Structures are given as structure tokens and as C-alpha cells.
Amino acid sequence: TPQQKVNRGIMQINKMLGEMEKVVNNNIKLKTEMGVQSNHFWKSTGKRFSKINERMIRIANRLKELSQ
């Protein structure tokens, strides 16, 4: 049913976000342990950070819309 599809989709999103959180936490740990500074990132990494941030804001807005 449509309700089941929406619920399964939300479950998948939650699982994916958990995986993303693990990756981010691992990278933060590596960055701090290895003493990597932000200026050591590639130029394209800064652009990717901003694109990811924009996408997450859009997704958050869409989730608010979905939950209403």
C-alpha cells in the first residue's frame, strides 16, 4: 500500500543517515588524531562541503513538508 511504501522509505532514509553519521564521525576522529588542518583539504572538498550542506537543508525542508 502507499502507506507501507512511505514507511519503508522513511526507514531506509533513517538507516542511510545512520551510515552517513558513522562515516562523518570516523572522518572527524581521523582528522583530529592525525592533526589534519582544513587548509590541507583539496580545493574541491570545500565546494563539496557546501553542496552537501545545501542538499541537507533542502532535504530537511522536504522532510518537514512530508511530516505535516
Side-chain angles (χ1 to χ4, degrees):
T1 66
Q3 292 92 348
Q4 289 174 328
K5 289 179 182 180
V6 169
N7 288 328
R8 284 193 185 115
I10 297 300
M11 286 172 35
Q12 288 177 332
I13 290 169
N14 192 37
K15 183 178 177 181
M16 288 179 201
L17 284 172
E19 292 173 11
M20 283 177 50
E21 191 172 13
K22 286 179 188 177
V23 170
V24 169
N25 288 336
N26 286 338
N27 283 318
I28 290 171
K29 184 178 176 182
L30 278 173
K31 182 183 174 196
T32 55
E33 286 179 356
M34 301 305 243
V36 176
Q37 301 297 319
S38 294
N39 59 359
H40 290 130
F41 293 149
W42 295 326
K43 291 180 183 177
S44 59
T45 302
K47 294 176 187 175
R48 288 187 183 113
F49 278 137
S50 63
K51 283 185 180 182
I52 290 169
N53 190 37
E54 290 173 11
R55 288 175 74 187
M56 291 187 76
I57 291 169
R58 275 197 316 267
I59 291 168
N61 290 333
R62 298 294 293 197
L63 281 171
K64 285 179 189 175
E65 182 182 326
L66 179 63
S67 68
Q68 294 177 350

